[in-house]
Amino acid sequence: MSMVAKRVLSAALTVIGLVLVSVGAWFTVHLGSSGSATLRTTPARGALVVVEPSVLNRVDAPATVTAVAAPGTTIWMGRTTPVDADAIVGGADRTSVTGAHVRSWSLVTSRAGAGAAPALAGADVWRQTATGQGRVHLSVGQTGAPESVVIAAPDGTPVDLTSVTVTVERRTWFFQALLVTLVGLLAAVTGVALLWQAQPRRPRPADEPQADEPTTDEPRTDETKADEPQADKPRTDEPKADETKADNDAPTPEVTA
């Protein structure tokens, strides 16, 4: 594998790891150690509220619906099948809770109908009811799914609610989010380490040749040759062999008396 390909793969691994760390940490903080996801909305005034099965029975885990109003306000809640809920509410002015946005931890609502609903508390279609002042909650299991929850006053008139929350708890969600965080952290650290190893290395100063010290592979210069003693060079103060021979062969002059 080429160096460029290694760098690209290392960078991709680092980015993926950082994304997993962000997502996993975000879910870990919001879910908490209990693995509880709480979704919230503020219903429109002047309409009763119907929480649909698409929210209550979306996950195979118990869900808790909580309605909050001003202190002293009477709140009534009833749980029944979607068919019975539609039949008793009819065409009344209602706010339907149909979905959720996990990114903002909010509930998706829509408004339809007009007019008032009949008295709700006295009907025989309810599987479970709860009544209270200021704050009321109702737990919904999954054994009777699908089911709907209607929120209003006991006589069917709308209640001005400050908030409606749906809480779904599953403890394994916390460990799954924590696992995603750890996997992302490991991927990010591995990617950074590979990027560090893929960087080009410059030679250390100890490995570079010294400019003042000639290496064995460099040719000798004239100055180097001049410094070295010449073993075969004849000395200039000694007579040459040919000149000595010529002197010996020359005739000796005669001396007369």
Side-chain angles (χ1 to χ4, degrees):
M1 184 182 296
S2 64
M3 187 63 66
V4 176
K6 289 182 180 179
R7 292 180 182 177
V8 172
L9 291 177
S10 301
L13 184 61
T14 303
V15 173
I16 293 173
L18 293 177
V19 171
L20 292 178
V21 168
S22 301
V23 174
W26 185 74
F27 273 101
T28 301
V29 171
H30 282 82
L31 294 174
S33 59
S34 62
S36 299
T38 301
L39 307 153
R40 181 177 284 100
T41 187
T42 301
R45 293 179 176 271
L48 54 86
V49 178
V50 180
V51 185
E52 301 287 349
S54 57
V55 177
L56 296 176
N57 309 122
R58 187 180 185 88
V59 180
D60 188 14
T64 301
V65 181
T66 303
V68 180
T73 304
T74 302
I75 304 173
W76 177 91
M77 302 175 67
R79 175 174 61 89
T80 186
T81 63
V83 175
D84 291 337
D86 290 341
I88 196 169
V89 171
D93 189 1
R94 64 190 182 277
T95 297
S96 299
V97 181
T98 57
H101 288 307
V102 178
R103 183 175 181 179
S104 58
W105 300 100
S106 61
L107 295 169
V108 179
T109 61
S110 62
R111 189 170 181 176
L120 299 177
D124 59 354
V125 298
W126 309 108
R127 296 179 177 179
Q128 181 183 3
T129 61
T131 305
Q133 292 185 348
R135 183 184 184 93
V136 179
H137 68 273
L138 191 65
S139 297
V140 180
Q142 301 301 319
T143 56
E147 291 181 311
S148 296
V149 171
V150 180
I151 307 173
D155 58 357
T157 58
V159 178
D160 292 335
L161 301 173
T162 57
S163 68
V164 172
T165 60
V166 177
T167 303
V168 182
E169 181 177 337
R170 178 177 287 180
R171 190 171 180 81
T172 55
W173 286 345
F174 170 75
F175 296 104
Q176 291 172 352
L178 188 60
L179 180 62
V180 170
T181 305
L182 295 177
V183 171
L185 182 61
L186 180 61
V189 171
T190 303
V192 171
L194 292 176
L195 280 175
W196 178 261
Q197 293 178 358
Q199 289 183 352
R201 295 290 186 266
R202 296 184 60 183
R204 295 178 299 177
D207 298 335
E208 297 179 353
Q210 300 297 328
D212 297 338
E213 297 180 2
T215 59
T216 55
D217 296 336
E218 295 180 355
R220 297 182 179 181
T221 61
D222 296 339
E223 295 179 357
T224 305
K225 293 181 180 180
D227 295 339
E228 295 180 355
Q230 303 295 328
D232 299 336
K233 185 176 180 180
R235 297 177 61 181
T236 56
D237 54 349
E238 293 181 359
K240 293 183 180 181
D242 296 340
E243 294 178 358
T244 305
K245 184 178 180 180
D247 294 340
N248 294 333
D249 294 342
T252 303
E254 294 181 359
V255 179
T256 58

